[in-house]
Amino acid sequence: MSPTHINEASVAALNRAFQGAGAEAILEYAMATFHPHLACACSFGVEDVALLDVLSRLDAQPRIFFLDTGRLHPETYDLMAAVKDRYGLAIDIFFPQHEAVEAFVNQRGPNAFYESLQLRKDCCAIRKVEPLRRALVGAKAWLTGLRREQAATRSDLGPFELDHAHGGILKINPLIAWSLEETWAYVRAHDVPTNPLHDQGYPSIGCAPCTRAIGPGEDLRAGRWWWEAPEHKECGLHSRRALAKDHA
Ligand code: SF4
């Protein structure tokens, strides 16, 4: 598929063609088709470090970017340093626009996200969604570490999506079919550095004030925005047309 002919039909055809394909095959296609206009999002969760390791084994080097919201755990920064060291990677770091953060915090306070869904979405829009738009400038496709079983909002995802929110580029999820157990088996087998918070009950790690450890039997995303209903647990980075009315 030409990068200039991405539409719903071609994405559906890709999902059919790569049904049951492994992450390596999907990444090889992505590199062959889109490099050097391929970007890779990395937030240093276990899926993301697994994805970086698979890329390194393929000797594939898409542009890697990281969104620093300014509210992350210290452990996440330590892991970024360890990963850069291990793989010799260049990582583009995108920060929020400081004027927007200053205006929001001055008007609403530093922890306004606990007060309402709208204020939480406003904070995510400033600290994540807007920086992501800048990170994807020039990209014709981007890679994520999304897995289908991570959340109710991701249960019908395929390895390829048409990303309406970013100008109709292709969003590629090579690990979409991986289970959590497979992901951990991979990182252990390859001695990939991981965030120590995972060992403290954090299966999903985001901003420090919006992430808590989960207890036995809780959903894997229960610790993200734990005060909100499950159908709202997206930050806008992975919004889809079908979810637009709930997650805009
Ligand atoms: S996760 Fe929390 S702190 Fe981070 S951007 Fe969203 S609302 Fe703000």
Side-chain angles (χ1 to χ4, degrees):
M1 183 184 70
S2 161
T4 57
H5 292 91
I6 302 168
N7 54 35
E8 296 284 6
S10 61
V11 169
L14 275 174
N15 279 322
R16 283 194 298 276
F18 283 86
Q19 192 171 22
E24 290 85 354
I26 295 169
L27 288 170
E28 283 170 347
Y29 165 80
M31 286 297 293
T33 309
F34 295 104
H35 187 70
H37 302 289
L38 180 66
C40 178
C42 181
S43 61
F44 295 99
V46 65
E47 294 83 5
D48 294 338
V49 292
L51 182 58
L52 292 184
D53 191 87
V54 178
L55 283 166
S56 80
R57 286 169 196 284
L58 294 173
D59 202 20
Q61 298 177 355
R63 176 171 63 82
I64 298 166
F65 69 87
F66 170 70
L67 306 180
D68 187 341
T69 65
R71 300 297 299 262
L72 302 174
H73 298 84
E75 290 87 344
T76 301
Y77 297 104
D78 290 344
L79 177 59
M80 176 165 59
V83 167
K84 285 182 75 165
D85 197 38
R86 158 85 175 257
Y87 298 100
L89 294 175
I91 298 175
D92 294 338
I93 303 174
F94 288 80
F95 289 91
Q97 302 279 13
H98 72 87
E99 297 92 342
V101 175
E102 286 169 6
F104 183 75
V105 172
N106 281 318
Q107 287 169 18
R108 301 295 187 173
N111 292 329
F113 31 77
Y114 295 133
E115 294 173 20
S116 73
L117 180 61
Q118 188 56 55
L119 287 173
R120 197 276 286 169
K121 287 185 174 181
D122 290 346
C123 184
C124 285
I126 291 167
R127 294 181 184 271
K128 295 181 174 182
V129 177
E130 189 281 329
L132 176 63
R133 277 198 203 105
R134 279 184 283 122
L136 291 177
V137 168
K140 293 190 167 86
W142 62 300
L143 301 168
T144 84
L146 291 183
R147 290 183 304 105
R148 194 175 289 131
E149 68 168 32
Q150 276 170 323
T153 51
R154 299 175 184 177
S155 60
D156 63 344
L157 280 183
F160 298 91
E161 294 177 77
L162 188 57
D163 187 352
H164 297 284
H166 299 104
I169 64 174
L170 191 64
K171 186 171 169 184
I172 305 174
N173 312 307
L175 308 187
I176 196 68
W178 287 27
S179 67
L180 184 63
E181 292 72 23
E182 284 175 278
T183 310
W184 276 103
Y186 181 92
V187 298
R188 289 192 180 111
H190 297 286
D191 195 27
V192 179
T194 56
N195 195 319
L197 290 173
H198 288 309
D199 300 324
Q200 298 168 33
Y202 291 73
S204 176
I205 303 168
C207 291
C210 299
T211 310
R212 65 159 171 77
I214 64 169
E218 279 195 298
D219 182 82
L220 293 177
R221 297 270 295 176
R224 300 293 298 277
W225 308 289
W226 65 90
W227 62 93
E228 293 179 359
E231 64 269 25
H232 295 307
K233 288 174 183 281
E234 292 287 0
C235 57
L237 296 184
H238 302 295
S239 62
R240 289 183 289 160
R241 182 180 280 170
L243 299 170
K245 70 178 187 304
D246 289 333
H247 301 282

